[in-house]
Amino acid sequence: MMEQQIELASAKQYTHVDVEFEPAYHAVWVRLRYPGRPCISNGLIDDLEQVQTRIARVAKQDFQQGEAERLRYQVLGSAQPGVFCLGGDLELFIQLVRRRERAELERYAKRCIDILFDANTGYGLPFTTIALVQGETLGGGFEAALSANVLIAERGARFGFPETVFGMFPGMGAFSFLARRIAPAMAKRIIASGKVYTADELYQLGVVDQVVDDGKGVTAVHEFIRHQQVRSTGFEGLDKVMEQFNPITRGELMDAVHIWVDTAMKLTEKNMRLMAYLVEAQNRRWSGAVTTSAGLSKARSA
């Protein structure tokens, strides 16, 4: 496995993703890196597709060959302090909607759900995906965290779906992933509220699996893996039971994407101005000028 891990880590110097193996934990860390605004750009999608393809190949080879030290865990985090991911590329969305490029918008969304579906289903293997959220996560970033089998958050993390502010909804798995963690009615309430939630609030609702003090997230991931390894066969059996009870399908996610694209094509110019305000606020926030919440307040009053 070690030779395969070295090949994966050195196969490409990714622009938007850092890849690190921890053989002692049978884990690979995938940390999101943002040259610009911390959102899900096409460049980030490109890198994630390539990284996941290589991870899946290594994990499947290990499993098929019965490797005792096989790759078992993938951890998604962020390399940028203070933010996990601010969600979809709203600037791109505005451009595509104004140009009526429906097919390109749908292609973007489909690439996103393919990544999230593979993470959620563990590449079809006895394989556990973990999201470690440290900082702010919105929209599609929140969906990415929810797609993981285990969601660990530091206490200072903040979560939200701002899409309803500008006439949209999170269409890349938010409801599907939330409704497998909590009651569907509560999932809808969280999505529709536009509220920013703390990690502790989401833990109480059952959305977040574990909350730890700021700066303790990596240690918490290591402790979770150690705890699971001791009783791995039992956890693998439990995962299979849960998957059989209410499995997420690619078709379900794609059906939501079609509705999401339909909704985007109906956005008004005012809706898109609200999106532009949020993009501007995010740009300023991550250059230290204003906060995202200030941008949302401005958008609501527009």
Side-chain angles (χ1 to χ4, degrees):
M1 182 179 75
M2 185 58 66
E3 290 180 1
Q4 294 172 321
Q5 291 176 355
I6 293 171
E7 177 190 355
L8 170 58
S10 62
K12 180 178 183 293
Q13 184 60 47
Y14 301 102
T15 302
H16 299 83
V17 175
D18 292 332
V19 180
E20 177 190 359
F21 279 93
E22 288 191 322
Y25 294 96
H26 309 268
V28 56
W29 286 76
V30 179
R31 292 184 174 91
L32 307 177
R33 187 150 44 90
Y34 304 103
R37 184 162 47 91
C39 69
I40 305 171
S41 64
N42 274 313
L44 176 60
I45 294 171
D46 289 341
D47 281 359
L48 284 173
E49 285 176 339
Q50 293 183 55
V51 168
Q52 284 196 331
T53 296
R54 292 186 169 100
I55 290 173
R57 186 176 68 242
V58 171
K60 286 176 182 176
Q61 287 176 355
D62 285 352
F63 178 71
Q64 290 168 355
Q65 294 170 7
E67 291 279 354
E69 300 300 308
R70 70 179 179 87
L71 185 62
R72 292 174 178 268
Y73 302 92
Q74 174 184 299
V75 188
L76 181 67
S78 172
Q80 183 163 328
V83 62
F84 179 79
C85 178
L86 299 184
D89 189 344
L90 299 184
E91 196 166 19
L92 175 64
F93 296 171
I94 293 169
Q95 294 171 5
L96 295 179
V97 171
R98 283 180 170 156
R99 295 199 298 253
R100 314 309 294 170
E101 295 187 23
R102 178 191 180 95
E104 192 61 28
L105 189 61
E106 187 168 294
R107 178 175 177 271
Y108 172 98
K110 181 182 182 301
R111 294 177 74 197
C112 288
I113 65 167
D114 284 345
I115 290 169
L116 302 189
F117 179 78
D118 286 346
N120 184 258
T121 57
Y123 308 112
L125 300 168
F127 187 93
T128 301
T129 55
I130 304 168
L132 172 59
V133 178
Q134 301 162 298
E136 188 172 353
T137 184
L138 300 173
F142 194 177
E143 287 173 310
L146 289 169
S147 73
N149 306 137
V150 179
L151 203 174
I152 297 173
E154 292 190 353
R155 188 153 275 112
R158 296 293 182 269
F159 303 77
F161 289 115
E163 286 86 346
T164 54
V165 171
F166 45 83
M168 284 295 293
F169 70 96
M172 289 158 231
F175 182 79
S176 295
F177 296 133
L178 271 175
R180 265 99 175 154
R181 289 174 174 265
I182 58 177
M186 180 57 70
K188 180 181 178 182
R189 185 183 303 178
I190 289 173
I191 293 170
S193 71
K195 175 183 173 180
V196 175
Y197 290 83
T198 67
D200 283 317
E201 286 174 326
L202 292 184
Y203 175 76
Q204 292 299 322
L205 291 173
V207 175
V208 170
D209 295 295
Q210 185 179 357
V211 179
V212 298
D213 290 337
D214 292 348
K216 303 294 185 182
V218 174
T219 299
V221 169
H222 290 159
E223 289 178 350
F224 171 84
I225 292 174
R226 281 197 297 265
H227 174 72
Q228 192 179 57
Q229 285 175 336
V230 173
R231 298 179 288 173
S232 60
T233 54
F235 283 118
E236 287 176 7
L238 179 59
D239 288 342
K240 288 180 181 178
V241 170
M242 291 181 66
E243 289 166 8
Q244 291 175 354
F245 172 70
N246 197 7
I248 284 182
T249 66
R250 201 181 296 267
E252 175 186 342
L253 297 178
M254 199 63 209
D255 287 345
V257 162
H258 292 319
I259 297 170
W260 181 83
V261 174
D262 287 341
T263 304
M265 290 294 112
K266 297 174 185 175
L267 291 174
T268 66
E269 189 57 36
K270 180 176 180 180
N271 292 143
M272 287 184 281
R273 285 200 303 271
L274 298 177
M275 293 171 70
Y277 282 139
L278 183 54
V279 171
E280 179 185 359
Q282 290 177 347
N283 284 331
R284 291 179 177 176
R285 166 66 177 88
W286 297 104
S287 61
V290 300
T291 64
T292 299
S293 58
L296 283 172
S297 297
K298 183 179 179 182
R300 289 191 177 99
S301 63

